[in-house]
Amino acid sequence: MAAFPTQARAVIIGGGIVGCSTAYHLAREGWTDTVLVEAGKLSGGSTWHAAGLVGQLRSNANITQLLGHSVALYGRLEAETGQATGWKMNGGLRLACNEARWTELKRQATTARSFGLEMALLSPTEAQALWPIMEVGDVVGAAFLPTDGQANPSDITQALAKGARAGGVRILEDTRVVAIETKDGRVTAVVTDAGRIACEVVVNCAGQWAHEVGRMVGVTVPLVSVQHQYLITEPIAGIPRDLPTLRDPDRLTYYKEEVGGLVMGGYEPNPIPWAEGGIPVGFHFSLLDADWDHFEPMMTLALGRVPALETAGIRQLVNGPESFTPDGNFILGEAPGCLGFFVGAGFNAFGIAAAGGAGKALAEWIAGGQPPFDLWAVDIRRFGQPHDDIDWVRTRTLEMYGKHYTIAWPFEEHESCRPRRRSPLYERLREAGACFGEKLGWERPNWFAPKGLAARDEYSFGRQNWFDHVGAEHRAVRERVGLFDQTSFAKFELTGPDAEAALSWICANDVARPPGRLTYTQMLNARGGIECDLTVARLAPERFYIVTGTGFATHDFAWIRQNIPAGLDARLADVTEVNAVLSLMGPAARDVLATVSDADLSNDVFPFGAVREIAIAGAPVTALRITYVGELGWELHMPVAEAPAVYEALMAAGAAHGIVNAGYRAIESLRLEKGYRAWGADIGPDHTPVEARLGWAVKLNSNTPFLGREAVAAQRATGVKKMLVGFAVADPDVVLLGRETIYRNGERVGWLTSGGWGYTVQKNIGYGYVRNAAGVTLEDVLSGAYELEVATERVPCEVFLAPLYDPKMARIKA
């Protein structure tokens, strides 16, 4: 027997399919000095009892690409390793049993085409031809993705393990992790019940145990265990071995063929959590007792679709707990606050579908020092303060589990665990008719209902009930003045003698300006991709105030802290909870502000891009002359305790000018008209400032070095292969939501990254990248004839480069 390894470059904790995939791919990256430790036997956690369906389409292009890597891997793995995998590319079928679901499927088919997958839309009869044992009397239509499939989870895990071993990885079963050592914020060793392994990297692929493993180093991994049941039948006459997988979301159920019979499971609206007090020791290759009473509603729904189930022999009702997360996406990446500690967990019952690609992405992230592509949708840094509370996580996760097969409505908000984080104006705004949304636990007014109307969203795929009310807020900001509560903004301070030097390296734009000036800037990765998109205000020679989006608090804080050059004296602090923010925007903003402040607000003294300390209603206010809506205005930052007085003073002074409360949906329509980019949609780590046409905000003309400079300079010299441009559709019956396919001269060239209605210009507005592997120029963009595919229908559109509203920025600089 080989000696226990006391040192390794990387230690992977967990021998399920994700851990083995990560080990396999690390070996392929040349990390042969890797050890995988498993407390029991390989696949003995939740992998072995997974249903094994492999679907690819998600609402995010890169996650769809990641799942495509799984399909490609599973297709070759058996031949490569000699280990059977049970992989069958038999396609995946999804049903729609009402018009709303059919619209959703048509939008999904368009999304699939945007991302390079061919999804066919079928009639009920055509669907039945693929799945002959189902009843289709209530089916409106179906979608078929021929490259989906199914696999045997345990066999694939063993094949990945065999491939990892062949690449030099050591796999230690029956080896339990008892501690993880760190020094100066970095992992240094894994301690097991068999010995200590010094290492540079720890990868937490512990499945349901990942939360517990994270706690060993003070990292929150927000997932919980939920019971998940499925039925296995004896063989059923008439079932072919190449039967596609089937998802019947309106009946909350899924199916796959197994040895001539069926596996049938579902996602009930009243899920049952498990192991709330901790997972029992020794829970390996273990199941929970079958709960027939809880499964009965699923069975009743299934019988209406597959009558043969009524007489089929039942081999087993499997009740196997699996890990789920509070937003339904899995968790990847290096944990903020602990260098070298990576996570690959929380796969929400699609771990088999994701494992091949997730292991590849995670291995490339570890080996390359950065994600191989934008993985924000699953990045562990998307979480924040609420996710430290396991009760909050469990409650929200159960809501998300219950919505697994409900229609994914545009603009849908979740209801559990609310309200959690509130602005000091929450009650005032609620009384004023605010309909709140939630982001990172913060309650934020999305729109305001007029008196007598319920402040409640009514979901549809058409214009929703708030459409006209948001239009009124939008027009008020364009024509008069509006007040936005943006207290949820993430706010940081960087202080110290070397604060300027640190930010000059991290920021792509020039922040080395005198106190009293602010800078809109991106922060780039080494490839030139946009990691952060934010505002930096210089308050004093050694003090900078940084403002970024609510949802990016953890990500941006971690990015800045991690990239402060070694040896510099610059200290980063999160002051989000300290300051409230009110944004006063519109042509009358100066008049309103002048009524409540003695400060000189003239354009000469307080120009656009300036920051000043002023007083409003006796309260100290840091006023930033900046805008995300394209109008004259100020962001007003003040101590939380002062917000009510400042709000009341502004509303009273604004009454003569027709001031309104306005919400985030108005912000969205206003920013679309003005052409402002949204990080996480229009821009991100896969997009450079040159591609996003934000090169004006990059200090290439100076001699100052900055992170990503070489990549941006090279791209500016050689040109780009994709370019962000705008598209306008005049037909008000068309609804743009994002992910609609872009066609140029009849050829597919990309998809919309965001879309919505511009109330001032009276057009649908969308943004997206026009792509061409041979290169894209402005001339190319403007020379084409364009269409957008919206829910499988092509509509003509106009392409534009300059913003549709105030392209010369005259209004914001007034």
Side-chain angles (χ1 to χ4, degrees):
M1 179 180 292
F4 183 85
T6 58
Q7 189 165 338
R9 194 171 184 189
V11 175
I12 300 167
I13 303 172
I17 190 169
V18 177
C20 288
S21 176
T22 304
Y24 169 89
H25 285 100
L26 271 177
R28 292 173 72 90
E29 289 292 319
W31 281 49
T32 56
D33 187 12
T34 293
V35 173
L36 183 151
V37 294
E38 162 57 45
K41 301 296 185 184
L42 295 183
S43 81
S46 57
T47 296
W48 73 278
H49 61 70
L53 281 70
V54 178
Q56 297 170 84
L57 181 62
R58 295 294 183 271
S59 60
N60 177 281
N62 283 355
I63 304 308
T64 297
Q65 175 188 336
L66 182 150
L67 297 172
H69 286 314
S70 293
V71 167
L73 173 64
Y74 300 163
R76 69 170 192 268
L77 193 59
E78 184 168 338
E80 178 186 317
T81 64
Q83 168 73 42
T85 62
W87 168 246
K88 291 194 295 188
M89 189 185 286
N90 47 355
L93 194 62
R94 183 178 288 260
L95 305 181
C97 299
N98 55 65
E99 289 303 324
R101 182 75 72 179
W102 184 229
T103 299
E104 181 183 48
L105 276 194
K106 288 190 287 187
R107 284 193 170 271
Q108 287 176 344
T110 289
T111 297
R113 291 170 195 161
S114 292
F115 299 166
L117 294 173
E118 291 306 322
M119 176 182 275
L121 293 178
L122 309 178
S123 69
T125 302
E126 291 170 324
Q128 191 175 40
L130 289 174
W131 231 84
I133 63 167
M134 71 173 171
E135 291 291 327
V136 295
D138 62 337
V139 175
V140 175
F144 182 64
L145 197 58
T147 54
D148 281 355
Q150 65 186 66
N152 183 307
S154 292
D155 285 350
I156 284 193
T157 303
Q158 293 295 340
L160 289 166
K162 187 174 182 180
R165 287 189 183 100
V169 174
R170 286 282 305 276
I171 295 179
L172 307 177
E173 296 180 296
D174 300 313
T175 304
R176 187 169 62 88
V177 173
V178 297
I180 301 172
E181 296 178 3
T182 64
K183 182 179 181 181
D184 299 327
R186 176 180 290 277
V187 297
T188 56
V190 170
V191 181
T192 77
D193 56 4
R196 178 182 183 274
I197 310 172
C199 59
E200 303 170 18
V201 168
V202 173
V203 193
N204 179 4
C205 297
Q208 296 178 92
W209 294 264
H211 177 75
E212 179 183 331
V213 171
R215 290 174 61 186
M216 293 180 180
V217 290
V219 166
T220 296
V221 182
L223 54 79
V224 295
S225 297
V226 182
Q227 298 185 32
H228 184 73
Q229 297 194 110
Y230 62 81
L231 188 77
I232 306 174
T233 76
E234 301 290 351
I236 299 174
I239 292 185
R241 292 299 179 97
D242 61 351
L243 191 74
T245 62
L246 175 68
R247 293 168 178 84
D248 187 4
D250 292 309
R251 290 177 180 264
L252 309 178
T253 49
Y254 61 79
Y255 307 80
K256 76 163 187 174
E257 181 274 338
E258 184 161 299
V259 198
L262 287 178
V263 167
M264 183 279 287
Y267 292 87
E268 65 276 20
N270 57 336
I272 302 174
W274 181 70
E276 295 176 72
I279 299 173
V281 175
F283 190 83
H284 300 287
F285 286 111
S286 301
L287 294 173
L288 307 180
D289 292 338
D291 189 339
W292 284 101
D293 289 339
H294 196 71
F295 194 73
E296 184 178 4
M298 295 288 100
M299 193 68 187
T300 301
L301 290 167
L303 288 173
R305 178 68 62 224
V306 187
L309 286 172
E310 191 163 4
T311 55
I314 305 301
R315 194 191 312 168
Q316 187 179 12
L317 179 61
V318 175
N319 186 358
E322 299 191 39
S323 61
F324 290 80
T325 67
D327 66 358
N329 275 328
F330 54 89
I331 305 171
L332 283 188
E334 188 174 19
C338 189
L339 295 175
F341 186 81
F342 288 79
V343 178
F347 282 84
N348 300 277
F350 63 96
I352 310 308
K360 183 175 189 293
L362 194 53
E364 292 175 0
W365 192 334
I366 293 165
Q370 60 183 335
F373 45 83
D374 181 5
L375 290 166
W376 172 242
V378 297
D379 193 316
I380 190 171
R381 293 170 294 179
R382 73 189 188 271
F383 299 117
Q385 187 228 69
H387 304 94
D388 293 337
D389 179 353
I390 194 62
D391 292 329
W392 190 98
V393 169
R394 182 175 293 107
T395 302
R396 174 58 61 84
T397 299
L398 293 176
E399 179 188 3
M400 296 304 296
Y401 180 106
K403 288 181 171 180
H404 190 91
Y405 275 158
T406 60
I407 292 173
W409 298 110
F411 313 107
E412 183 176 7
E413 295 283 350
H414 305 307
E415 299 176 0
S416 60
C417 310
R418 298 179 58 187
R420 169 77 183 213
R421 305 170 82 184
R422 284 168 280 189
S423 147
L425 302 173
Y426 174 79
E427 290 298 337
R428 283 176 172 81
L429 298 180
R430 188 173 63 83
E431 291 169 4
C435 181
F436 290 94
E438 178 260 336
K439 180 164 284 191
L440 213 65
W442 283 101
E443 293 294 319
R444 314 192 312 170
N446 277 338
W447 61 281
F448 287 82
K451 193 171 183 178
L453 184 73
R456 183 178 63 248
D457 288 329
E458 296 174 8
Y459 299 124
S460 74
F461 284 104
R463 301 297 182 196
Q464 296 185 4
N465 65 315
W466 46 261
F467 182 77
D468 290 338
H469 308 303
V470 169
E473 296 170 22
H474 175 116
R475 285 185 287 273
V477 174
R478 287 278 184 254
E479 299 165 7
R480 305 188 306 277
V481 63
L483 191 61
F484 301 89
D485 181 1
Q486 296 190 279
T487 296
S488 66
F489 271 155
K491 302 168 284 280
F492 316 136
E493 284 196 359
L494 189 72
T495 58
D498 298 322
E500 179 187 303
L503 281 178
S504 291
W505 167 251
I506 303 170
C507 294
N509 208 347
D510 183 10
V511 297
R513 300 182 178 190
R517 300 297 298 172
L518 59 85
T519 305
Y520 165 68
T521 184
Q522 289 89 46
M523 295 176 172
L524 311 180
N525 57 39
R527 298 191 301 263
I530 300 170
E531 290 286 349
C532 310
D533 181 68
L534 40 73
T535 301
V536 177
R538 191 167 200 171
L539 304 183
E542 297 185 5
R543 183 181 173 212
F544 292 83
Y545 186 65
I546 302 168
V547 183
T548 189
T550 304
F552 315 134
T554 304
H555 174 278
D556 289 7
F557 189 88
W559 182 263
I560 295 168
R561 184 171 60 180
Q562 188 170 333
N563 286 287
I564 294 173
L568 294 189
D569 185 358
R571 299 172 296 279
L572 186 66
D574 189 330
V575 296
T576 299
E577 303 281 355
V578 175
N579 290 339
V581 182
L582 291 171
S583 294
L584 183 71
M585 298 287 159
R590 181 179 283 115
D591 296 333
V592 173
L593 197 54
T595 305
V596 298
S597 177
D598 294 333
D600 188 340
L601 304 171
S602 66
N603 203 44
D604 290 338
V605 174
F606 203 151
F608 181 74
V611 54
R612 302 282 186 269
E613 300 292 340
I614 67 174
I616 300 176
V621 174
T622 302
L624 284 64
R625 189 163 168 203
I626 193 75
T627 181
Y628 193 54
V629 301
E631 296 293 342
L632 169 69
W634 284 264
E635 270 182 28
L636 305 170
H637 296 244
M638 69 217 72
V640 164
E642 305 286 0
V646 173
Y647 172 81
E648 290 168 3
L650 291 170
M651 291 301 287
H657 300 277
I659 195 170
V660 302
N661 288 302
Y664 274 81
R665 293 202 176 128
I667 291 174
E668 178 67 5
S669 67
L670 291 159
R671 76 96 185 167
L672 285 169
E673 288 187 335
K674 194 64 184 69
Y676 293 140
R677 279 65 161 163
W679 195 91
D682 308 312
I683 55 177
D686 286 348
H687 312 114
T688 71
V690 182
E691 294 165 342
R693 294 191 300 113
L694 291 170
W696 56 268
V698 180
K699 57 190 176 196
L700 280 183
N701 292 333
S702 76
N703 292 322
T704 307
F706 62 90
L707 181 57
R709 179 187 181 106
E710 290 76 13
V712 174
Q715 194 175 60
R716 182 174 283 183
T718 60
V720 298
K721 297 180 180 180
K722 64 177 185 284
M723 183 180 295
L724 185 70
V725 297
F727 302 89
V729 178
D731 185 350
D733 292 331
V734 172
V735 177
L736 299 184
L737 299 172
R739 299 186 299 278
E740 292 85 358
T741 316
I742 304 166
Y743 288 88
R744 177 182 181 274
N745 298 335
E747 295 185 6
R748 187 172 63 208
V749 293
W751 62 88
L752 295 190
T753 53
S754 61
W757 180 256
Y759 293 91
T760 303
V761 300
Q762 288 291 293
K763 292 179 180 179
N764 288 287
I765 303 168
Y767 294 95
Y769 288 85
V770 172
R771 299 162 188 265
N772 187 340
V776 179
T777 66
L778 292 174
E779 293 74 18
D780 293 334
V781 168
L782 294 174
S783 67
Y786 290 89
E787 297 173 297
L788 298 176
E789 182 181 312
V790 183
T792 73
E793 300 292 330
R794 292 197 194 182
V795 298
C797 63
E798 298 176 1
V799 67
F800 64 87
L801 297 175
L804 295 179
Y805 181 79
D806 190 25
K808 296 185 178 180
M809 297 177 63
R811 294 177 71 88
I812 69 172
K813 294 184 176 181

